[in-house]
Amino acid sequence: MESAAAQMSRETESLQEQVRSAVIWRSGSQIVAQVVQWAATFLVIRILAPADYGLFAMAQVILVLLNMLNGYGLASGLIQQKEITQRQIRQLFGMLILVNAALAVLQICLAPLAAIYYRQPMVADMLRVQALLYVTTPFIALPYALLSREMDFSKQAKVNILASIAGASTALGGALAGLGVWTLVFAPLVLFAVRAIGMTMAARSLMWPSFDFRGAGHLARYGSVMAAGQFFWFIESEADIFIAGRSFDPHMLGIYTTGLFLTQIFVAKVVPPLNEVAFSAYAKLQHDDAAVARAFARSVRFIMVAALPFYLGLSATAEPLVLTMLGDKWAEAVPVVRLLSLAMPLMTLQVLFSPACDARGKPGVSARNGATGAAILIIAYLVGVQWGITGLCVSWLIAYPLYLSISIRRSLPVIGLSAGALFGAISSPALAAVSMAIVVTLVDGALPPMVPALRLAVLVSMGAGAYGGWLALFARDVLNEVAAMVRRQPPLQPAQ
């Protein structure tokens, strides 16, 4: 008869393989999908005007606010539960339908108020059309929850790639057809519609919803706390645009938001799919303190090995990168990219705490962190915007260290990891990335005049060599650990 220790070891190995497969499918599909979307996005940016992106950013504030309440927290509650019934699945579907119908009506009602606030009548028309997005949400969130419970990310990956192709094609076609800002409205509608159809088919989740919510108290409570955390995340992520939208004209707001888009590519596009996998994995490990702490430390190191050189390299190469990727008309975004890139490592580390705390049944920690961050950042933005776009960027650099330090103090006891272990996980890639940035800056100063694309290629090559060389010489253990994760080997030792 198999011993308990042997069974636990086999289950751990099975989970590690599930996580590895999930990461490959989820992150791999994200890379493919983002390559498609970015190729279209950068072409569209070259065609559209900064003012188009400014108008879109104004509408996005309302859309993102309401999307924080669209029921994904309820779906996460289904993932977090150990056992679920068919009745609970139908109840979740009913909740998602009701919540999103209410949000669509609310957005239509808020549309004219948003237009008055920004003094841009077109914002109201955009928001009314974008309300159609809520029709698709229940048909995405429910199958997402069901597939994530099984850690079946391969089906999600295929659907996401197909949806990205549809959305990118719509964006490029709209821009070439001269639709202007409406290009940015129609592309997400197509993307979400394709994703809703594909996800529902992949999970075979089309069913009659239940509007009898008796016995669904745990799901509603968990989802409401998750929604509170997401609401505060909205305030953090959109307060700068809400404040700047009143002070800047559409052109300058477009410059700021496009620079912000470039600097947030990693934290907004690469990290979320990894956090989805992490949440599912932490949920399975939630009662094993040591396993959660060990898994969190490894995930932090793995992500920051890629994130730190990306951000510091982005800051060091801001000018040739903006001119190459966006064109001369976006040159005003260079200082935005250079400054905001330095704040993004802190933001990336911050967003890694929520999946671990939520999966351990403590979503309130994330909500409190979000409330703290919202207060700190709003104050910083209100002060910084008085000095224009540069002041707004500098406010990030002042506010985020304080916000992150408070979140670390709250979150680590829940995760079971010490501050020393956390900083030990990121110290080596941090030193390597700083060294790389210094090398790139020195090389950039010594280069003769050349076209931006060639200059960017030289600097990226030098940066990659400097970063890899530093890790090989002074942090070979980091490279070995990353390689071990890829080769399915278990961690060498637990985090303390």
Side-chain angles (χ1 to χ4, degrees):
M1 185 174 180
E2 184 178 37
S3 67
Q7 183 178 359
M8 183 176 297
S9 175
R10 183 166 53 80
E11 290 176 353
T12 300
E13 290 178 3
S14 175
L15 179 58
Q16 288 175 346
E17 179 58 27
Q18 281 184 301
V19 171
R20 179 179 179 276
S21 176
V23 168
I24 290 173
W25 273 107
R26 190 62 185 90
S27 60
S29 67
Q30 184 76 358
I31 291 172
V32 174
Q34 290 305 320
V35 166
V36 172
Q37 288 185 329
W38 290 340
T41 295
F42 288 123
L43 288 173
V44 170
I45 287 175
R46 285 179 169 272
I47 298 171
L48 300 184
D52 293 326
Y53 283 89
L55 288 170
F56 181 69
M58 293 173 184
Q60 281 293 97
V61 172
I62 300 298
L63 189 64
V64 174
L65 165 62
L66 298 184
N67 266 275
M68 293 294 101
L69 310 173
N70 65 5
Y72 268 86
L74 299 171
S76 296
L78 200 70
I79 299 171
Q80 195 265 346
Q81 287 189 161
K82 187 174 182 180
E83 302 290 341
I84 61 171
T85 64
Q86 187 67 22
R87 183 168 183 266
Q88 289 174 316
I89 297 172
R90 294 177 59 231
Q91 286 176 324
L92 172 61
F93 195 25
M95 290 179 184
L96 290 170
I97 291 173
L98 291 181
V99 166
N100 283 275
L103 291 176
V105 173
L106 181 58
Q107 180 163 306
I108 292 172
C109 294
L110 289 175
L113 299 179
I116 293 171
Y117 174 80
Y118 290 119
R119 298 183 285 268
Q120 297 290 337
M122 186 177 289
V123 170
D125 296 330
M126 294 167 62
L127 285 170
R128 292 187 185 103
V129 175
Q130 288 172 316
L132 292 171
L133 289 170
Y134 299 105
V135 176
T136 66
T137 301
F139 300 94
I140 299 174
L142 177 62
Y144 159 76
L146 296 175
L147 292 173
S148 295
R149 275 188 58 83
E150 303 300 323
M151 298 196 73
D152 184 352
F153 289 89
S154 62
K155 293 177 182 176
Q156 295 187 51
K158 296 169 185 175
V159 172
N160 288 337
I161 291 173
L162 182 62
S164 295
I165 293 172
S169 301
T170 302
L172 188 56
L176 293 173
L179 296 182
V181 69
W182 289 102
T183 297
L184 305 176
V185 174
F186 294 143
L189 287 173
V190 172
L191 185 148
F192 274 66
V194 173
R195 181 175 293 167
I197 295 170
M199 289 286 283
T200 300
M201 293 175 62
R204 301 179 183 273
S205 58
L206 190 61
M207 63 185 70
W208 286 109
S210 172
F211 299 103
D212 177 1
F213 301 130
R214 288 174 295 182
H218 170 76
L219 198 64
R221 286 191 298 271
Y222 187 91
S224 64
V225 177
M226 289 280 288
Q230 291 168 344
F231 173 75
F232 290 123
W233 171 250
F234 154 78
I235 296 177
E236 294 176 36
S237 61
E238 298 295 324
D240 55 340
I241 299 173
F242 185 74
I243 293 168
R246 185 74 174 178
S247 302
F248 300 167
D249 61 24
H251 173 85
M252 287 310 298
L253 185 62
I255 292 293
Y256 173 77
T257 55
T258 301
L260 181 62
F261 162 75
L262 283 178
T263 60
Q264 288 188 331
I265 281 178
F266 191 93
V267 68
K269 304 298 183 181
V270 177
V271 175
L274 296 177
N275 269 351
E276 291 176 19
V277 176
F279 177 74
S280 298
Y282 293 145
K284 291 182 179 294
L285 297 169
Q286 59 181 294
H287 301 298
D288 188 335
D289 296 347
V292 171
R294 183 167 58 247
F296 181 78
R298 296 183 77 209
S299 66
V300 167
R301 173 170 285 193
F302 184 79
I303 290 172
M304 297 307 283
V305 162
L308 286 166
F310 175 85
Y311 294 131
L312 297 189
L314 196 62
S315 180
T317 64
E319 183 178 355
L321 185 138
V322 168
L323 296 179
T324 300
M325 303 301 294
L326 307 183
D328 293 342
K329 68 181 178 182
W330 293 94
E332 292 170 286
V334 170
V336 176
V337 173
R338 183 169 287 130
L339 289 171
L340 290 183
S341 295
L342 300 177
M344 291 305 134
L346 305 180
M347 185 179 186
T348 300
L349 184 57
Q350 170 66 42
V351 302
L352 297 179
F353 292 124
S354 292
C357 293
D358 295 347
R360 301 214 73 187
K362 301 289 184 180
V365 173
S366 298
R368 289 196 296 274
N369 287 343
T372 301
I376 292 172
L377 291 170
I378 286 175
I379 294 171
Y381 296 150
L382 287 171
V383 174
V385 79
Q386 305 304 315
W387 284 270
I389 198 168
T390 301
L392 189 59
C393 294
V394 171
S395 66
W396 282 74
L397 299 174
I398 295 173
Y400 247 97
L402 176 60
Y403 173 25
L404 180 61
S405 65
I406 295 172
S407 295
I408 287 174
R409 192 160 59 247
R410 280 202 189 114
S411 303
L412 291 187
V414 175
I415 298 170
L417 191 71
S418 68
L422 174 65
F423 291 113
I426 62 177
S427 58
S428 294
L431 286 173
V434 170
S435 301
M436 176 211 70
I438 293 173
V439 169
V440 170
T441 302
L442 293 174
V443 170
D444 191 27
L447 288 176
M450 59 181 65
V451 296
L454 180 58
R455 179 179 166 202
L456 179 63
V458 171
L459 295 179
V460 169
S461 299
M462 293 298 300
Y467 184 68
W470 177 281
L471 290 180
L473 289 174
F474 304 109
R476 188 172 291 276
D477 61 314
V478 174
L479 295 178
N480 290 339
E481 184 172 358
V482 172
M485 292 178 70
V486 174
R487 294 196 302 264
R488 315 183 195 183
Q489 294 179 358
L492 297 178
Q493 57 186 13
Q496 302 297 322

